[in-house]
Amino acid sequence: MKKLVIIASTAAAAVLLILLLYPQFSSRSHTVVSIDKNDPVHLPQTVSASPAATEIPSLHHDVPTPYQPVLIEESSHFGTGSYTGTFTCTTQNGNAIDVTVTNKGTSPVLFKVSQNDNDFGYIKLASKAKLTRTFHSTPAGDIGGNWRVYVTNDTGAYMNLQITAGQFKERS
């Protein structure tokens, strides 16, 4: 009986140690910025040597309807796998881009946008929430190029997403 207690205690300690160390070695760890979706003024910005675009608060512009052009038609994504969407745009179609993700699922997701080598980082989007991230060209840069939208989660939970993106001319 004593041996059984010792074996069970050792196994429990090993499982606890694995659970404590797992986040340090997980390949799915992400740097995440949590924001209040109702206060987008505090959105993160990644600074590079010469960024082509910068992220701005989404509530500070009129949303054009419809976008000209639509870069990602309203898309649905269901399942446990991550969503990746890409598009290419040019400055002739406008100097600003909106990327909107609606999380209809029951778990939070991580929403990332990048342009060429400019990574704008992850933002955590709560369950049943919607967030529009807006980007505009910098004075020294160009909004054109290759863009990537990536939505994932750390839990492997089932995702139910709506994704859209559009380009427009921002008023000065």
Side-chain angles (χ1 to χ4, degrees):
M1 184 67 170
K2 242 183 189 180
K3 282 185 179 181
L4 187 59
V5 170
I6 292 172
I7 291 171
S9 298
T10 304
V15 168
L16 181 61
L17 183 62
I18 290 170
L19 290 174
L20 290 173
L21 293 177
Y22 177 76
Q24 294 176 350
F25 300 108
S26 172
S27 63
R28 295 195 63 164
S29 63
H30 305 284
T31 301
V32 177
V33 175
S34 293
I35 64 162
D36 177 350
K37 68 182 179 81
N38 296 316
D39 183 20
V41 174
H42 298 97
L43 293 176
Q45 293 186 15
T46 301
V47 178
S48 63
S50 176
T54 187
E55 187 166 4
I56 62 172
S58 294
L59 295 179
H60 293 178
H61 71 79
D62 295 326
V63 176
T65 309
Y67 291 110
Q68 293 298 328
V70 174
L71 302 167
I72 298 177
E73 290 284 343
E74 187 163 325
S75 302
S76 297
H77 176 79
F78 307 98
T80 57
S82 301
Y83 168 85
T84 301
T86 59
F87 57 88
T88 302
C89 59
T90 64
T91 56
Q92 290 82 1
N93 293 322
N95 63 343
I97 293 173
D98 278 345
V99 180
T100 302
V101 172
T102 304
N103 180 9
K104 296 180 176 183
T106 58
S107 297
V109 296
L110 305 173
F111 172 17
K112 177 180 178 175
V113 179
S114 58
Q115 175 203 21
N116 301 325
D117 294 329
N118 194 16
D119 183 345
F120 295 100
Y122 286 94
I123 292 182
K124 190 171 192 172
L125 181 59
S127 169
K128 310 295 185 210
K130 178 179 181 177
L131 178 65
T132 298
R133 296 180 73 177
T134 301
F135 305 89
H136 71 96
S137 55
T138 63
D142 180 352
I143 198 142
N146 298 315
W147 289 77
R148 181 174 183 249
V149 178
Y150 183 71
V151 185
T152 190
N153 64 39
D154 280 338
T155 63
Y158 184 85
M159 292 187 287
N160 180 356
L161 306 170
Q162 294 286 166
I163 303 99
T164 61
Q167 189 171 359
F168 60 99
K169 175 73 175 151
E170 184 180 47
R171 292 185 207 161
S172 302

